Amino acid sequence: MGFSCPLGGLDKFFSSQEKCLAMIEIQNEKGQYLYLYQDSVIENELNSWLMSGDELLGSFSVPFRFPVARNESFLSHKHRPEAGGFTGVKVTVAVDGMPLGAGNLTFRVDNNACDGILNFNASDVATKLRSKYVHDAVIEDAYTMCSSHADLPGAMLRTVDPLTNPWPFCFFPVYNDEFCDKDYDSSGFSYRKYVNAYSYFPTGRFVPDTATTYGSPVVPFFYFTHVIRRICDYLGYTPEGAWLDDPGIRALVMYNDVAMDTSGLFASFTVFTRFHVWQMKLNEFFKLLRDDMGVAVFFDATRQVIVFKTFVEIAQVDVAHDFSAALLKHYVAAPVEQTGISVSFPYDSSDDYSKELPEIPPYVIGLGENEISMRLTTLPTYSTTLGGILDKLAELAGIPAGKWLVPIAKRKGTALGIQYLDMGIYDITFPPKNVGAPRLLSFFGMRKDTSNRSYPYGSSLSRDAQQNRVSSISLIAYEADSLFHTYVRPYLEFKTFSKKITLKFWLKLSAISRLKLWEKVAVGSADMVMLPYIISKLTYALPDMKGKVIAEMELYPLLPPSDDYIAKIPTANIWVKIEFTELDAGGLYPATVVLCSVKFKLYNSRQAETSASSPLPIPIFYQYQLAGHNSLDGSYETELKNDSVIVEPNASEAMIPLPLPFWKSDDKQFQIAYADEQYIVKSSFKLMPAPGYLIV
């Protein structure tokens, strides 16, 4: 234990009789106290991860010296040269019996003394955060779903109800016609365009690999919050925070393209979590939460909890502490750097379908001088019919073909089943080599398609195929309810328009011991307007003086953005309608073909009565079919095409740049022109459901 009373500039506050000695108590798990020099001073620095830069600074003390003598047992003799395997001593810190928190003591030996550092909060797991990966937290997790191919479809179906799902993962169809090699030739290979293929006929069921066929890969998608909870457990902490229980967040799943083993051999039908989570270090994972999701992470080593709070939540709650009365007459205000941020939203460059999409323009806050790029991305959502032989039979039986919304990718997959060895995608090396960008999707259980038939619905949208809202959060940046506009944009605006204020306080130690870095504080004085602040850094020195210390805080006031900044939030409920106008083709096309201009018009209602516009660009996605008879052999050939056009900011319409040639008739017997020529079937030209708009 140490006794000290560093008065310095505080002499004016106390008479000589009031000057005192306070006791710093550093206790290990064995109940022993660290013996300190009589004049020991420990200065602590607590940093908020919410306001840190690229490095997550953590909280720690300035190095302080203590003797080796009388501390040998406290240090478990780890000061000796031959001692190894030392990661620090877990301790609690108190002053005169008042607990201030838990930490980890590390030290450097210098002859007969030690230079010690107290690390607080996340410090006891700092090495893990820097060196371990997400998969390390789930390295031993495995879930056996069934024991045979016959039971696999039913086991997969058990995951479609989030309330009764026995496992922390789910299955839903993803359109990825590049996962397997479509040209691969094998007697047992049955190519499907879907991962986790699903069929309505004869009853709703998944259609995975069987004992005799393969080519229908099965990919589990783990719930995002489950992985977060497992990481917390791995670090020895309990997760806490309302954000984790938000229905929109609980619906999030980690996208991956690693198919589980369905070969029927040893370990088949078992899901190994480590293959299906993002391959990133833990500190990068927590930074991704903050930078790409607007979620601050706070380690509380005293209670052994990790608190998850969004910046929006922190900004909206009431002030927890008013420190006005403790303010010392001194402050430093840093200038506001009105440079601003330009935020880009790149697609996953390893996905070929993403390369076909229009580039999303950057979102500019302030002057946009500093460029940042979001790392977290998602899959586009695609509208299509289910297809397949069984479903064509269903159509012949009078069951209409409804439109699905499904996530779409074009990316070669990896399979853990040896039946895919000759195809070249079998790979059980760990960690997986074929890893793309971190991507999220949402799973909403069974939802209806446009023909009122239910299917397992995973998506990046917040609405289903019938345009019904199913979530409060979209994963597409240019949606009004996107993850970006809901949580990230307010955080970036705060960082852009706030400024650092450094203030000093004469605070009771009890106030510091109660203070949490995620709590707002208020400060006002005769010279300062009463404002709410968010804490970036808190420093103070021990021991105390009459139960108080001088505490310096770096604070950021919660201020409105500058007057010339208006947040460009996409307009909700924009409806889009197609208009065709026939043009004179000037004899360039056969008599069976007509030239048309195609215009996309924006409205504020489904009735398409009043024009609408958006402050942000809106990519409009459309699809059409090219068709025509081959006059050389009489065959009828078709080709499905996807394309897009952008409605510029504040515009109410957009046109396809060049007029398009259409068949005058949808009847294929009249779709005859020159050999090997195809034109657009007008009835096939349709808008595709996508973020940013609804379809009239």
Side-chain angles (χ1 to χ4, degrees), residues 577-580 596-600 620-626 640-645 655-656 658-662 666 680-688:
K577 182 181 180 181
I578 304 177
E579 289 187 358
F580 299 95
C596 289
S597 67
V598 182
K599 181 184 293 185
F600 304 94
I620 305 293
F621 296 86
Y622 58 93
Q623 184 183 82
Y624 57 87
Q625 185 181 69
L626 292 172
L640 196 63
K641 304 286 285 187
N642 292 281
D643 213 332
S644 61
V645 66
M655 294 184 66
I656 295 176
L658 297 174
L660 301 176
F662 292 82
D666 284 344
I680 300 171
V681 179
K682 194 171 182 180
S683 62
S684 73
F685 198 101
K686 60 181 181 294
L687 285 163
M688 303 293 286

Side-chain angles (χ1 to χ4, degrees), residues 341-375:
I341 302 171
S342 178
V343 187
S344 61
F345 307 95
Y347 296 109
D348 184 351
S349 59
S350 66
D351 191 313
D352 287 341
Y353 186 80
S354 294
K355 297 174 183 177
E356 301 175 10
L357 300 176
E359 183 178 341
I360 302 174
Y363 186 90
V364 177
I365 300 174
L367 300 179
E369 181 177 343
N370 300 316
E371 297 182 359
I372 63 173
S373 178
M374 296 288 102
R375 294 177 58 195

Side-chain angles (χ1 to χ4, degrees), residues 258-273:
V258 178
M260 62 182 285
D261 182 5
T262 58
S263 65
L265 303 177
F266 177 76
S268 295
F269 317 117
T270 297
V271 177
F272 297 94
T273 313

Side-chain angles (χ1 to χ4, degrees), residues 200-242:
Y200 292 130
F201 191 83
T203 58
R205 63 188 184 91
F206 285 99
V207 189
D209 292 339
T210 70
T212 56
T213 64
Y214 63 98
S216 188
V218 176
V219 177
F221 303 115
F222 274 82
Y223 282 102
F224 188 56
T225 55
H226 167 76
V227 176
I228 289 176
R229 293 179 187 279
R230 291 293 293 121
I231 290 173
C232 294
D233 184 58
Y234 173 68
L235 296 174
Y237 284 75
T238 300
E240 187 177 276

Side-chain angles (χ1 to χ4, degrees), residues 573-579 600-612 694-696:
N573 295 331
I574 282 185
W575 296 78
V576 180
K577 182 181 180 181
I578 304 177
E579 289 187 358
F600 304 94
K601 299 194 69 173
L602 275 53
Y603 295 93
N604 63 7
S605 69
R606 193 167 204 159
Q607 289 69 38
E609 296 172 343
T610 307
S611 295
L694 301 166
I695 299 172
V696 172

